[in-house]
Amino acid sequence: MSKRRVLITFFGIAILLSGYLANFIRGKYVVPIIMYHSVNPGALPEDRLAISPATFERQMRFLKYHHYNVLPLESLATLIKERKKIPSKTISITFDDGYKNNYIYVFPILKKYNLPATIFIITDEVGRTDRLNWDEIKTMQDSGIITFGSHALGPEPLINIKSEQDLKKQIFDSKKILEEKLGRRISAFSYAGGRFNDRIKQLVIDAGYKLAVTTNPGKKFANDDIFALKRLRISANANNLFVFWIETSGYYNFIREHRHK
């Protein structure tokens, strides 16, 4: 075989492989929905549910200055549901539980960078010393920066609740309370502990929610299931902005689901 033919064959194979690789990579992309809990100055490195305000601000500044398309969660869910083209570098920001430090530290930072976020509230814990109160929640909502969703009445994972009546109470009543207190429709639900089953999911749909978020339900759930939206927990290891960049790339979910194979 001539040298010219060898080169043509080599480049042909390279082009085919690069096309295959590009299609493979595109198929593994999941719009990142990042999840926080507590943001406080005393956050310990080993605490997987807390980061410091300084770290949080660095991350939000990173998103802003690198021109990420930060969308409200409901807007993202609509794009996914309608199978619309989602702009590159799109991301959504969420918080679980409703810690008071979300008002003290998170809220000013989000306002500073004009970044929207969704906070999921455990309604029975509103007003507790370490949790948001209704006045704080209303102030945050009125800013237009923060949207609120339900994280059920209490913290018990719904998967542990066997009574159908008790399950409905957790899902339906928490929505009703938030709507009465905030004067707006509540469309988003967060499964406690990120755990759910088909029965719980159907009750969330029956209650009138438009979307629900989890953590890492696994490969068996489609990436475009708006009642099982996959989120990425941001913890102390994302103090390093390179790690944060990897986690917000859209491909980290694929890495996470395959790293134990």
Side-chain angles (χ1 to χ4, degrees):
M1 184 181 292
S2 69
K3 184 177 180 181
R4 182 171 180 271
R5 179 171 290 184
V6 170
L7 287 173
I8 291 172
T9 302
F10 172 78
F11 282 114
I13 293 171
I15 289 169
L16 286 173
L17 287 176
S18 64
Y20 172 79
L21 182 60
N23 286 331
F24 176 81
I25 290 173
R26 277 196 296 270
K28 305 308 175 186
Y29 178 82
V30 179
V31 177
I33 302 172
I34 55 177
M35 172 184 65
Y36 296 92
H37 288 76
S38 178
V39 178
N40 69 83
L44 300 173
E46 62 271 20
D47 190 342
R48 302 178 70 189
L49 299 181
I51 64 169
S52 71
T55 293
F56 181 71
E57 175 152 20
R58 288 175 65 230
Q59 293 169 349
M60 296 304 101
R61 186 167 60 242
F62 177 90
L63 296 179
K64 188 71 174 181
Y65 289 172
H66 287 84
H67 307 292
Y68 278 71
N69 179 42
V70 183
L71 286 183
L73 184 60
E74 291 180 31
S75 299
L76 174 60
T78 298
L79 290 178
I80 294 172
K81 180 182 179 181
E82 297 178 355
R83 300 188 181 280
K84 298 271 183 76
K85 181 176 175 57
I86 299 175
S88 62
K89 298 175 75 173
T90 293
I91 191 170
S92 283
I93 304 167
T94 66
F95 292 80
D96 277 0
D97 298 344
Y99 285 94
K100 184 174 285 289
N101 56 47
N102 291 180
Y103 181 79
I104 298 169
Y105 301 110
V106 170
F107 186 36
I109 293 169
L110 292 175
K111 285 195 296 182
K112 177 178 178 179
Y113 295 105
N114 194 32
L115 299 176
T118 298
I119 298 178
F120 291 98
I121 297 294
I122 300 173
T123 54
D124 282 354
E125 295 185 350
V126 173
R128 211 173 75 176
T129 304
D130 61 339
R131 296 292 197 262
L132 297 168
N133 61 44
W134 289 115
D135 287 340
E136 291 163 341
I137 291 170
K138 289 174 183 175
T139 297
M140 295 170 87
Q141 177 183 257
D142 291 346
S143 71
I145 292 287
I146 306 294
T147 302
F148 288 91
S150 169
H151 203 18
L153 292 177
E156 180 70 21
L158 299 181
I159 202 83
N160 296 341
I161 299 174
K162 304 306 178 186
S163 162
E164 187 84 3
Q165 182 178 352
D166 290 344
L167 270 177
K168 289 187 72 172
K169 186 178 178 65
Q170 290 286 331
I171 295 167
F172 283 69
D173 288 10
S174 59
K175 186 177 193 292
K176 182 180 179 182
I177 290 168
L178 286 169
E179 289 179 339
E180 289 176 349
K181 289 288 188 179
L182 300 181
R184 64 172 296 273
R185 190 170 185 175
I186 298 299
S187 299
F189 187 84
S190 174
Y191 301 109
R195 300 168 65 199
F196 67 100
N197 54 32
D198 289 341
R199 179 177 59 141
I200 293 168
K201 180 181 172 184
Q202 187 58 53
L203 286 174
V204 169
I205 295 170
D206 294 344
Y209 294 96
K210 301 303 180 186
L211 68 97
V213 294
T214 178
T215 48
N216 184 23
K219 293 177 287 183
K220 68 177 181 177
F221 289 93
N223 294 329
D224 60 356
D225 186 342
I226 61 170
F227 287 96
L229 291 171
K230 300 174 181 180
R231 292 186 296 170
L232 302 166
R233 182 181 60 240
I234 303 298
S235 53
N237 64 350
N239 291 349
N240 182 319
L241 286 179
F242 178 74
V243 173
F244 184 70
W245 172 70
I246 294 293
E247 292 183 346
T248 57
S249 67
Y251 298 101
Y252 185 72
N253 190 70
F254 174 75
I255 296 170
R256 177 177 64 172
E257 290 183 345
H258 290 79
R259 64 187 172 190
H260 297 306
K261 286 186 66 176

